[in-house]
Amino acid sequence: MRLYLAAPILAAFQLVKAHYTFPDFIVNGTVTSDWEYVRITENHYSNGPVTNVTDPEFRCYELDLVNTANATGTATVVAGSTVGFRADNLMGHPGYFSAYMTPAVPAANSEAAGKGSTWFKIWEWPPTWSASTGLVFASENIQSVNFTVPKNVPSGQYLIRVEQIALHVAETYGGAQFYIGCAQVNVVGGGSGTPGPTVAIPGVYTGYEPGILINIYDLPANYTGYQSPGPAVWTG
Ligand SMILES: *[C@@H]1O[C@H](CO)[C@@H](O)[C@H](O)[C@H]1NC(C)=O
Ligand SMILES: *[C@@H]1O[C@H](CO)[C@@H](O)[C@H](O)[C@H]1NC(C)=O
Ligand SMILES: *[C@@H]1O[C@H](CO)[C@@H](O)[C@H](O)[C@H]1NC(C)=O
Ligand SMILES: *[C@@H]1O[C@H](CO)[C@@H](O)[C@H](O)[C@H]1NC(C)=O
Ligand SMILES: *[C@@H]1O[C@H](CO)[C@@H](O)[C@H](O)[C@H]1NC(C)=O
Ligand SMILES: [Cu+2]
């Protein structure tokens, strides 16, 4: 009986291993503790992706939409410094990475934060493309991503949301897998920039964008490169 069960159990284990969460916020070059500053996600055990881009859980995927925010710390971050997110294991799926920020009213640890059309993109890491190489996903099989908090962002409370759109089974609608996490931060030493364009999350995507609904293994003959979904990056 045990031997009979071994193969399916191993297969299920490997499936879970391929998925990931972002429990650790990276600030001042330090990888902080699991879920210290990142709102603990619904998939903290399963590691499964979000696939519904219009669901409220698409925003931050909190374990508890009401209470998780208040149970999470807020990290002080200096504008212009490098921050990042570390996954719980290697991110084995090819995809598109980005990070968004939103002012957090009344505070980063409030469940009300980030519900308006207030999110702006601060970083992206798209695959590269050429006719000879096809799409190249340099971000595949790494465990962390780092990026800069724009130095002109006004000081104050914010959420920083990391997102990978995994594209290995994205050839049908709803197939793209979203791996997300939201860190709660207090930005200090900021500037007087006006971040934009701003979008709502959920709302930013329909799921039909050419960068989301795409067969990366069978590109059209006239393909000219990856088209990032969502707004342009605000660099400050
Ligand atoms: C992100 O920053 C952390 C901390 O400085 C570092 O350990 C990690 O290697 C960086 N990740 C990448 C992909 O450069
Ligand atoms: C996606 O989420 C929206 C909003 O919660 C819901 O109305 C819709 O039925 C969901 N779609 C699927 C395929 O589950
Ligand atoms: C947050 O949690 C603290 C401690 O449990 C509690 O006193 C406070 O009322 C909570 N605040 C909100 C807005 O839920
Ligand atoms: C990062 O460094 C700044 C400046 O030294 C400090 O104020 C802040 O508390 C640090 N953040 C964390 C989360 O340690
Ligand atoms: C590529 O070809 C398809 C199918 O013929 C067509 O629908 C699409 O508009 C073309 N795209 C570009 C960028 O030319
Ligand atoms: Cu997967």
Side-chain angles (χ1 to χ4, degrees):
M1 186 61 127
R2 276 183 198 155
L3 278 174
Y4 180 75
L5 283 173
I9 286 169
L10 185 61
F13 178 71
Q14 285 168 341
L15 198 63
V16 168
K17 284 296 282 184
H19 295 166
Y20 28 94
T21 59
F22 294 101
D24 305 334
F25 188 54
I26 301 170
V27 53
N28 297 337
T30 300
V31 179
T32 56
S33 304
D34 288 2
W35 313 118
E36 182 179 3
Y37 298 117
V38 179
R39 294 180 177 181
I40 189 169
T41 49
E42 167 80 29
N43 65 337
H44 69 104
Y45 182 69
S46 74
N47 279 8
V50 179
T51 56
N52 186 341
V53 298
T54 63
D55 197 276
E57 71 180 11
F58 185 68
R59 185 177 304 117
C60 291
Y61 205 13
E62 292 95 340
L63 178 59
D64 182 313
L65 279 171
V66 176
N67 296 305
T68 295
N70 190 28
T72 307
T74 299
T76 297
V77 169
V78 180
S81 70
T82 299
V83 297
F85 287 81
R86 185 175 186 272
D88 60 339
N89 62 74
L90 289 183
M91 298 182 277
H93 289 324
Y96 166 73
F97 275 101
S98 64
Y100 290 83
M101 272 179 94
T102 178
V105 179
N109 69 350
S110 161
E111 64 90 25
K115 290 189 173 170
S117 190
T118 51
W119 294 87
F120 52 98
K121 190 185 281 181
I122 59 169
W123 169 76
E124 67 172 345
W125 189 356
T128 56
W129 178 88
S130 75
S132 54
T133 61
L135 286 171
V136 176
F137 294 88
S139 61
E140 195 173 350
N141 289 318
I142 60 174
Q143 193 165 356
S144 60
V145 291
N146 297 308
F147 48 88
T148 303
V149 173
K151 70 176 185 345
N152 287 330
V153 75
S155 296
Q157 301 262 310
Y158 288 86
L159 301 179
I160 300 180
R161 177 180 177 279
V162 69
E163 174 184 276
Q164 189 210 24
I165 310 178
L167 297 168
H168 54 301
V169 287
E171 68 275 15
T172 55
Y173 181 82
Q177 300 183 347
F178 294 79
Y179 295 92
I180 58 188
C182 290
Q184 301 183 165
V185 303
N186 182 40
V187 174
V188 297
S192 53
T194 306
T198 58
V199 295
I201 301 178
V204 58
Y205 308 136
T206 62
Y208 291 99
E209 292 81 358
I212 297 178
L213 181 56
I214 176 177
N215 185 341
I216 61 171
Y217 305 108
D218 187 13
L219 297 167
N222 60 359
Y223 196 72
T224 55
Y226 185 76
Q227 292 179 49
S228 302
V233 171
W234 185 74
T235 53

